[in-house]
Amino acid sequence: MAPGDLQEVLAVLRRPGLAVDQARNLLVGLGAADDAAVYRISDDLAIVATVDFFPPVVDDAYTWGAVAAANAMSDVYAMGGEVMFALAVAGFPRELDKAIVAEVFRGGADKVAEAGGVIAGGHTVVDAEPKYGLCVTGRVHPDRVLIKGGLRPGDRLFLSKPLGTGVITTAGKDGAAPGDVLAGAVQSMCRLNRVAARVARDFGATGATDITGFGFLGHASEMVLASAAGIAVDIGRVPLLPGARALAEAGHFSGGMKRNRRHVEAVLGPRLRIAGGVPPVLVAMLIEAETSGGLLFSIAPERADGVLDAFTRAGEEAWEIGTVLSEPTVHIRD
């Protein structure tokens, strides 16, 4: 569902009605758009809860299960949490080979185990279009929750994965993605944001989100509006998956890109400022939907110098792509 449509239908749920204790302990809910719900259990423990599922993005059943699981767990990491357990949510055609269904479940379970969690159950229905995902439960310290509204002017902005999964998987469905390019996208989608969440916590981040279906600019705009602070992004520092730009230039964008563009233009309007030297295809890639993308987070300037080294020590890569501004605008600089 498009971001604007989603906010419209959720409006009926944003009404008073929680008991005082519930309201006090629901640290993150429907009040402001965020990646997951957070409920405080005690002074040093809060529960993070989220759900996500989608149709196949790749042909291989095991890989689809793994990607869907990584994508679902990413919302827990975007809140600064750790995964504890998950429930599978799935719909499959009645005639689908049971061996294929088992491989989807196995891929998801293996990815949850990699995160340090366990599949504890789930629910399946018969559906003409296959769908799979997880309801994930995690934990976080109540004082260390990362939220979309946590950007602070002067912070430095980091991204933990390259963009391009949407373009590449769309090209893959069209039979136009080279094998090595598609493999690179799969590897990226399967990589957990566990390291990114830990680094963000260790370096004192307060604001974070993960880049998924609303695209980079869609999720970044949510952070900007929630924080009443802006971002300046240097387009040359934004990482792209190998082969993604060439496929974008060939026009392999998903239908979600157009919906995302309308939403970004509607919510930001003149607050979206794109330098004249930024190629339109790169702007489109900032808008294109992503699957299991990286964390976008900000760190105070006096603490930010060690962030990339911390990723390197963990065997992963991240990129510094810009800064946080005091004015709630989005600048894409060339």
Side-chain angles (χ1 to χ4, degrees):
M1 183 175 288
D5 295 338
L6 179 60
Q7 294 307 312
E8 182 178 343
V9 299
L10 289 179
V12 300
L13 302 179
R14 296 191 178 101
R15 60 181 185 267
L18 287 178
V20 173
D21 285 347
Q22 289 176 305
R24 182 173 61 246
N25 289 317
L26 184 62
L27 303 182
V28 182
L30 287 172
D34 224 306
D35 292 303
V38 181
Y39 194 91
R40 178 169 48 208
I41 302 299
S42 65
D43 289 343
D44 59 1
L45 177 64
I47 295 297
V48 186
T50 185
V51 58
D52 201 299
F53 60 97
F54 49 65
V57 293
V58 293
D59 291 335
D60 181 73
Y62 178 91
T63 303
W64 169 35
V67 169
N71 186 77
M73 291 187 289
S74 186
D75 284 336
V76 170
Y77 295 131
M79 309 304 293
E82 281 288 341
V83 172
M84 295 192 300
F85 66 91
L87 305 176
V89 182
F92 297 106
R94 192 181 303 276
E95 65 276 10
L96 188 65
D97 190 327
K98 294 182 181 65
I100 295 176
V101 175
E103 280 297 280
V104 176
F105 285 139
R106 187 171 72 89
D110 284 353
K111 191 54 61 172
V112 173
E114 181 185 332
V118 62
I119 297 288
H123 183 71
T124 60
V125 297
V126 174
D127 196 340
E129 182 179 29
K131 300 176 183 69
Y132 173 76
L134 300 176
C135 298
V136 188
T137 300
R139 62 177 178 269
V140 67
H141 193 288
D143 296 333
R144 303 185 74 186
V145 178
L146 304 180
I147 58 173
K148 290 182 179 179
L151 296 178
R152 300 291 181 264
D155 282 2
R156 290 158 60 179
L157 203 60
F158 295 87
L159 182 63
S160 70
K161 290 188 188 182
L163 304 181
T165 59
V167 169
I168 293 172
T169 55
T170 299
K173 293 173 184 177
D174 297 337
D180 59 335
V181 171
L182 189 56
V186 167
Q187 183 179 37
S188 180
M189 291 188 292
C190 286
R191 176 156 66 90
L192 298 176
N193 278 317
R194 190 178 191 182
V195 168
R198 176 176 58 76
V199 172
R201 289 194 309 265
D202 289 349
F203 281 82
T206 55
T209 191
D210 61 330
I211 307 302
T212 51
F214 298 164
F216 178 90
L217 280 181
H219 291 290
S221 67
E222 290 179 326
M223 295 186 78
V224 165
L225 297 177
S227 304
I231 61 171
V233 174
D234 298 312
I235 194 65
R237 301 170 74 182
V238 176
L240 302 177
L241 286 166
R245 179 168 179 168
L247 293 172
E249 289 172 340
H252 294 286
F253 289 104
S254 70
M257 192 273 282
K258 294 179 181 178
R259 294 191 295 271
N260 288 347
R261 184 187 291 275
R262 288 194 295 268
H263 175 72
V264 168
E265 291 174 348
V267 299
L268 289 180
R271 289 177 291 185
L272 176 60
R273 302 170 186 174
I274 301 171
V278 177
V281 70
L282 295 185
V283 176
M285 293 189 71
L286 294 178
I287 296 171
E288 172 66 290
E290 299 285 329
T291 298
S292 191
L295 293 194
L296 175 66
F297 62 95
S298 68
I299 302 291
E302 65 273 14
R303 304 192 64 178
D305 284 344
V307 168
L308 299 183
D309 285 342
F311 274 91
T312 299
R313 288 194 298 272
E316 294 192 5
E317 194 172 7
W319 294 262
E320 183 174 356
I321 62 170
T323 56
V324 179
L325 309 173
S326 58
E327 181 186 6
T329 56
V330 176
H331 292 233
I332 309 300
R333 305 185 295 208
D334 55 12

